[in-house]
């Protein structure tokens, strides 16, 4: 599990979509409480509905503190050498959420198997933000 933190306040009027643009490069170490935060990603077998293939995605998170709010979850493709590539974003989100997505959204490349994970953003009561990455899920998410 990787935990990152940003210091400072988030303005009350900041759009949730803007959170996706925050830079999470070289950040200071996470506070001790953030180390207890975790997220687990599971993707179930696919199913087809009206000729479109879908997967069921379950993202389960535990914040560092019960007062922290999860405000965004971003699905990333993780395999090298492509670097992390954006798949989709969800907000607002629940701490324990199961939903369906079109399989094509999980298909991060055509050459090899797919590796995906979520980056989950939390806001503390003081306005500071931290992110928690889930485990990577490996699979072949072909859209057909």
């Amino acid at each position: 599990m990787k935990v990152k933190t940003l210091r400072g306040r988030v303005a009350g009027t900041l759009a949730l979509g803007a959170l996706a643009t925050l830079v999470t490069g070289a950040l200071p170490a996470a506070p001790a409480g953030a180390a207890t935060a975790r997220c687990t990603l599971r993707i179930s077998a696919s199913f087809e509905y009206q000729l479109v293939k879908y997967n069921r995605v379950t993202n389960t998170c535990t914040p560092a503190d019960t007062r922290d709010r999860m405000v965004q979850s971003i699905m990333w493709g993780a395999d090298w050498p492509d670097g992390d590539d954006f798949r989709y974003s969800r907000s607002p989100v629940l701490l324990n959420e199961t939903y369906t997505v079109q399989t094509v959204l999980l298909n991060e490349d055509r050459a090899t198997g797919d590796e995906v994970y979520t980056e989950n953003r939390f806001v503390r009561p003081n306005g500071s933000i931290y992110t928690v990455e889930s485990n990577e899920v490996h699979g072949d998410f072909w859209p057909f």
Side-chain angles (χ1 to χ4, degrees):
M1 172 189 59
K2 300 176 193 171
V3 177
K4 301 173 188 172
T5 185
L6 293 174
R7 302 206 187 274
R9 294 207 171 275
V10 175
T13 59
L14 180 65
L16 291 176
L19 289 173
T21 63
L22 292 174
V23 178
T24 59
L27 298 175
T36 61
R38 64 177 295 133
C39 291
T40 303
L41 177 65
R42 291 186 316 270
I43 300 176
S44 68
S46 62
F47 62 94
E48 195 171 303
Y49 178 72
Q50 295 183 347
L51 302 177
V52 178
K53 199 169 174 183
Y54 291 86
N55 282 84
R56 189 169 312 283
V57 175
T58 301
N59 192 40
T60 304
C61 293
T62 304
D65 186 295
T66 56
R67 297 172 297 166
D68 300 345
R69 292 181 304 112
M70 187 168 152
V71 294
Q72 185 179 37
S73 182
I74 303 170
M75 179 72 72
W76 294 96
D79 66 347
W80 185 88
D82 300 340
D84 292 355
D85 53 336
F86 176 81
R87 305 313 309 149
Y88 62 87
S89 174
R90 294 177 57 83
S91 68
V93 290
L94 303 172
L95 290 175
N96 185 3
E97 188 169 48
T98 299
Y99 55 93
T100 57
V101 297
Q102 288 187 9
T103 301
V104 69
L105 293 175
L106 302 173
N107 183 20
E108 55 143 344
D109 65 27
R110 297 171 204 205
T112 63
D114 302 301
E115 294 80 26
V116 294
Y117 68 95
T118 58
E119 179 182 83
N120 305 280
R121 297 177 194 257
F122 292 85
V123 176
R124 293 184 185 93
N126 69 4
S128 62
I129 298 171
Y130 64 96
T131 63
V132 178
E133 291 182 3
S134 73
N135 56 299
E136 281 186 18
V137 174
H138 306 274
D140 287 316
F141 303 113
W142 291 97
F144 41 84

